[in-house]
């Protein structure tokens, strides 16, 4: 019995299973500070980089190609000054919580379907996990989920990385 691990000894738990890449945090337009702080806190605990990703609603990638091909043809004109506005606003809001981007965190603007865009980013960066906010309450949010689906549910079906869902508090 002396060679057995004692209950609660997790020193080898997850050894070789949990990847060491960055964390990808999907940040919606009206995010809760709690979501960003949860992502940043986990990144600090794990000692990894946090990539805050905003999927721009003003631009979509064509996603009609068969699985395995990645067409990056935008449906937007080459220069779209209106599309820059949400990205600047989002970056300013994130800097208000996390400070300026640098070694600890970075900011990416993605295009296309939210879940697919986040999954592509996670794959291309070899992310350890994805973090997204939970489902919002209310009729408008429920209607959006009916039309577009749930990002968190879609992510769990699109790839094999862990998906951490931070519950929405409604504040």
């Amino acid at each position: 019995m002396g060679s057995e691990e004692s209950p609660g000894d997790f020193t080898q738990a997850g050894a070789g299973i949990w990847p060491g890449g960055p964390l990808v945090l999907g940040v919606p337009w009206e995010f809760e500070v709690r979501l960003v702080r949860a992502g940043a806190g986990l990144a600090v605990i794990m000692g990894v980089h946090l990539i805050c990703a905003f999927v721009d609603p003003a631009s979509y990638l064509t996603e009609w190609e068969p699985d395995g091909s990645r067409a990056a043809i935008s449906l937007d004109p080459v220069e779209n000054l209106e599309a820059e506005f949400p990205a600047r606003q989002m970056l300013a809001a994130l800097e208000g919580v996390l400070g300026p981007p640098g070694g600890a965190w970075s900011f990416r603007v993605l295009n296309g379907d939210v879940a697919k865009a986040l999954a592509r980013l996670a794959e291309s960066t070899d992310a350890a996990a994805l973090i997204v906010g939970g489902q919002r309450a209310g009729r408008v949010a429920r209607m959006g989920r009916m039309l577009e689906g749930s990002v968190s549910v879609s992510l769990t079906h699109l790839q094999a990385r862990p998906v951490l869902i931070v519950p929405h508090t409604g504040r």
Side-chain angles (χ1 to χ4, degrees):
M1 280 208 187
S3 64
E4 290 183 37
E5 288 183 297
S6 63
D9 182 8
F10 298 114
T11 55
Q12 294 300 313
I17 296 172
W18 195 267
L23 294 177
V24 171
L25 173 64
V27 186
W29 176 247
E30 292 180 347
F31 66 85
E32 288 188 6
V33 170
R34 181 174 172 262
L35 170 66
V36 175
R37 288 191 175 146
L42 185 57
V44 167
I45 290 168
M46 292 177 66
V48 298
H49 185 79
L50 178 67
I51 301 171
C52 296
F54 170 63
V55 182
D56 190 342
S59 180
Y60 291 92
L61 291 178
T62 56
E63 308 236 21
W64 303 305
E65 303 298 325
D67 286 343
S69 65
R70 291 192 193 138
I73 303 165
S74 178
L75 296 175
D76 282 339
V78 175
E79 186 175 351
N80 184 351
L81 297 177
E82 289 179 4
E84 293 178 17
F85 175 74
R88 282 196 306 257
Q89 291 282 94
M90 181 60 67
L91 179 58
L94 288 169
E95 286 178 331
V97 178
L98 301 172
W105 77 279
S106 58
F107 178 63
R108 304 267 180 99
V109 178
L110 308 173
N111 299 301
D113 175 81
V114 176
K116 288 180 181 178
L118 291 173
R120 278 193 305 268
L121 177 61
E123 182 182 333
S124 69
T125 60
D126 197 25
L130 290 118
I131 305 168
V132 293
Q135 296 180 352
R136 295 176 184 262
R139 290 182 197 159
V140 174
R142 194 168 36 252
M143 182 63 82
R145 282 191 300 275
M146 282 178 25
L147 295 172
E148 300 173 7
S150 166
V151 171
S152 56
V153 170
S154 294
L155 281 171
T156 62
H157 295 290
L158 286 171
Q159 43 74 54
R161 286 174 177 73
V163 178
L164 173 66
I165 302 168
V166 179
H168 180 71
T169 62
R171 293 182 211 142

